[in-house]
Amino acid sequence: MRNSRKLAACIVTIGVITLLLVMTGVIQTSPPSGSPSYAPLVSVSRSSCVRPPGFFLIFADLSGFNDSIAHGAPLNPWPVVRVHLGDFLRFVVCNDDQTQAHGFAIQTYFDTGVALAPGDAFRVEFQATIPGTFVIYCNIFCTVHAFMVGRLIASNS
Ligand SMILES: [Cu+2]
């Protein structure tokens, strides 16, 4: 009986110490920044459907993303955006569809995505900090959903 009380006290003490170490950051439960599972901060702001210098313009409508259906998406993703690591990526995304909402999301970088009602436009900006090939996709179910597949390629060269 005495020993089991000691054991219980010991377990509670270890639990409290572990909790303190996690809370103070000595033990890290989330991956460090820069690892592939770390999602970069993306800033999203409402906009008008005008492309400022240095921005990529993305139209979402019944043709997909920038006519991705005509380009053979999803087998041939479109558009294909190539950037160098460290570059800032700036998109203006416009929903040109008269009747339905579309989404815009980027694997790893922007999985939360943005939902655009008909006529909406958003600016999406972030820095390319993770190398690799990432899917650009629609995160709102729509009639051309399967064809809204683009690609982002971030590389050193
Ligand atoms: Cu969709």
Side-chain angles (χ1 to χ4, degrees), residues 65 100-104 137-148:
F65 285 137
Q100 68 179 325
H102 290 284
F104 178 79
Y137 61 100
C138 171
N139 58 323
I140 302 287
F141 193 73
C142 60
T143 55
V144 290
H145 201 67
F147 304 99
M148 303 185 83

Side-chain angles (χ1 to χ4, degrees), residues 42-46 110 112-114 122-125:
V42 179
S43 81
V44 181
S45 58
R46 198 168 278 276
F110 186 40
T112 49
V114 63
F122 278 91
R123 290 184 181 193
V124 176
E125 301 181 53

